[in-house]
Amino acid sequence: MNENVTKALAVIDREEQKGALSFVTREDFMGVTPLYKPEVTVIQLRLPQKQWDNDADVYEISGKYMPKREIVDRIGEATGLVFLRDGCRTWSELREDDIAGKRTVYVSEQQAKKRMSDGSFRTSSVNVYEFDPVLRAMVDYNVIELNAQTKMQKNRTGKTLAQTILEYTKVARQRAETGARLRVIRELTNMPTAFSKEDAAKPLVFGRIAQNTNYILQTPEGRAMASAQALGVDVASLFGGRKLPQPEETSAQSVTENRPETVLPATTTEISEYEDVSGQDAEFSCDAPEEPQNAAPAAEQDAGDSKPDSFEILTQALEEWVESYKDILNVKLASGMNPYTLARDELDSNNFNASVESRKAMIQRIKDFLKIKGVKI
């Protein structure tokens, strides 16, 4: 058992002894390889201190406590979830019936994946959640039919049903997305949709499998394994069936030379703004590198590749490189930009402007930046 696993298990044991609710087990971390490391996050929800407490981390609904959107996202990050572009969408539908009349209902589909201890991913099902502002308000006011008279019914604070419907409609799309995201997180973590007051007051423990950047950057075998993982190939096949190189036998430079060129696109042109810049003050280009005039068509360039240069492959390669070099990329430059943040924005599942070209451009920018920082790639 390596040191990272031991530390993670110690945190879980300590928090469970304090009465925390743990959504990660010891077995989840037992099969971790050196390429990855377990990370444990403890989240303490802030419960409402008064009625309509905007600073609380949860919504109180019928005596249950449901985490707000920002807390849902934090839980997803603590679990290492990556929401999938093709599995996430939100839309509105028109409904009409005798109970609530004509109205707009918001529907959201969400799907994500999380990394397992062996480096593979477990993908959730596509979870659907509907939020109907009118029906939700009617349930809160115990109204069974919507009409002019019931719309003026007031609750204990003096707010009418019509006012509550309007407030729910303003956040209906977010509530639908949050509900669907909660279902995804519940599926991948076994977490309930909402908590009782007693459970919501307890610390919540989540865990994820992250890439071990120290192992990748400091050892040849780590870099080789990262390259193989990014390509989705077996490590042995990366070296033509040879055994994984050992540090004392193979230098970092030779391992770099063995890395397939398909991990990152070959440099298309040199960026002049980097020529006289030191590694410490390296900037991050906002412009995609220009294609050389004599470049072959994409179809011809891909003809000899063993795998298609698809959006999915580029997405996986970008994800692996961003997380592998997070410690180097996650810095604020003199221009105010943060390379890691820009790369994560490109990978955001809600970035509907993402394309094969934008993925290639971001990978190239990361590659050029790492070169200036002195990283051999």
Side-chain angles (χ1 to χ4, degrees):
M1 186 181 302
N2 62 53
E3 181 181 1
N4 292 320
V5 174
T6 302
K7 290 181 179 179
L9 295 181
V11 174
I12 295 175
D13 292 339
R14 183 183 69 232
E15 295 301 325
E16 287 183 342
Q17 290 176 2
K18 296 179 181 179
L21 295 179
S22 180
F23 297 96
V24 59
T25 65
R26 299 176 65 91
E27 290 72 19
D28 293 334
F29 292 159
M30 297 306 294
V32 176
T33 65
L35 186 60
Y36 303 99
K37 63 179 180 179
E39 295 181 347
V40 178
T41 301
V42 181
I43 296 178
Q44 181 68 65
L45 299 177
R46 185 185 185 281
L47 303 186
Q49 304 299 313
K50 58 182 179 180
Q51 194 171 22
W52 311 113
D53 187 353
N54 294 328
D55 294 329
D57 293 332
V58 296
Y59 295 110
E60 184 178 359
I61 302 176
S62 302
K64 294 289 186 178
Y65 293 86
M66 178 181 293
K68 291 183 177 179
R69 178 187 177 91
E70 58 270 22
I71 302 301
V72 173
D73 290 335
R74 185 180 173 192
I75 292 173
E77 181 180 358
T79 312
L81 300 191
V82 179
F83 282 86
L84 305 178
R85 172 188 175 91
D86 295 335
C88 300
R89 64 191 184 109
T90 303
W91 68 96
S92 60
E93 296 180 356
L94 293 178
R95 302 281 177 83
E96 185 175 8
D97 52 47
D98 295 336
I99 298 177
K102 182 181 295 185
R103 62 198 185 277
T104 301
V105 176
Y106 294 84
V107 187
S108 180
E109 288 182 351
Q110 301 287 322
Q111 185 181 32
K113 63 180 181 180
K114 76 170 184 177
R115 196 190 304 275
M116 309 303 288
S117 60
D118 61 354
S120 63
F121 282 96
R122 174 189 171 191
T123 303
S124 74
S125 57
V126 177
N127 286 268
V128 183
Y129 186 90
E130 293 187 4
F131 185 80
D132 188 329
V134 176
L135 286 183
R136 178 60 61 85
M138 291 175 63
V139 171
D140 291 347
Y141 281 72
N142 197 25
V143 170
I144 60 175
E145 183 179 353
L146 187 67
N147 52 47
Q149 182 178 357
T150 56
K151 283 183 178 180
M152 302 308 298
Q153 182 173 320
K154 297 181 179 181
N155 60 11
R156 291 178 296 179
T157 64
K159 187 180 299 184
T160 65
L161 173 60
Q163 290 175 319
T164 300
I165 292 175
L166 180 60
E167 290 182 355
Y168 282 174
T169 302
K170 289 170 59 179
V171 296
R173 181 176 294 272
Q174 293 182 353
R175 292 285 288 271
E177 291 177 355
T178 300
R181 291 169 77 91
L182 264 175
R183 287 184 174 178
V184 172
I185 294 173
R186 184 173 72 249
E187 177 181 338
L188 294 178
T189 64
N190 294 320
M191 185 185 74
T193 305
F195 297 90
S196 64
K197 184 175 183 180
E198 180 182 0
D199 287 341
K202 298 178 181 178
L204 308 178
V205 182
F206 299 93
R208 66 178 180 179
I209 304 297
Q211 285 204 324
N212 189 349
T213 54
N214 290 335
Y215 178 74
I216 294 172
L217 295 176
Q218 296 175 8
T219 64
E221 61 270 25
R223 291 189 288 273
M225 293 174 67
S227 297
Q229 185 71 27
L231 289 170
V233 301
D234 180 70
V235 175
S237 66
L238 189 64
F239 298 95
R242 291 186 284 117
K243 293 183 178 180
L244 193 66
Q246 300 301 317
E248 63 273 16
E249 298 176 358
T250 308
S251 65
Q253 181 178 0
S254 64
V255 174
T256 303
E257 293 173 353
N258 283 331
R259 179 181 296 167
E261 291 298 327
T262 51
V263 177
L264 291 177
T267 303
T268 55
T269 182
E270 294 295 331
I271 300 180
S272 58
E273 65 178 298
Y274 290 156
E275 291 179 356
D276 299 323
V277 181
S278 66
Q280 182 178 359
D281 300 323
E283 289 294 333
F284 192 70
S285 170
C286 281
D287 301 323
E290 298 180 359
E291 291 290 341
Q293 295 181 355
N294 60 350
E300 295 180 11
Q301 294 177 0
D302 294 339
D305 294 342
S306 59
K307 291 188 176 183
D309 189 15
S310 65
F311 183 85
E312 291 75 14
I313 291 177
L314 289 170
T315 298
Q316 184 178 7
L318 180 57
E319 285 180 352
E320 296 293 344
W321 277 86
V322 167
E323 293 306 318
S324 296
Y325 296 99
K326 178 179 179 180
D327 294 342
I328 298 176
L329 296 172
N330 193 16
V331 294
K332 186 175 182 180
L333 305 177
S335 61
M337 291 186 295
N338 183 307
Y340 178 78
T341 301
L342 291 175
R344 293 310 313 180
D345 289 343
E346 167 67 22
L347 288 167
D348 192 326
S349 60
N350 294 321
N351 178 16
F352 297 108
N353 293 322
S355 63
V356 170
E357 289 72 21
S358 67
R359 289 287 197 264
K360 286 183 178 180
M362 181 59 67
I363 290 174
Q364 186 62 58
R365 288 153 62 187
I366 289 176
K367 181 178 180 181
D368 290 328
F369 179 77
L370 292 175
K371 283 183 178 180
I372 297 302
K373 298 294 286 185
V375 179
K376 293 183 179 181
I377 55 176

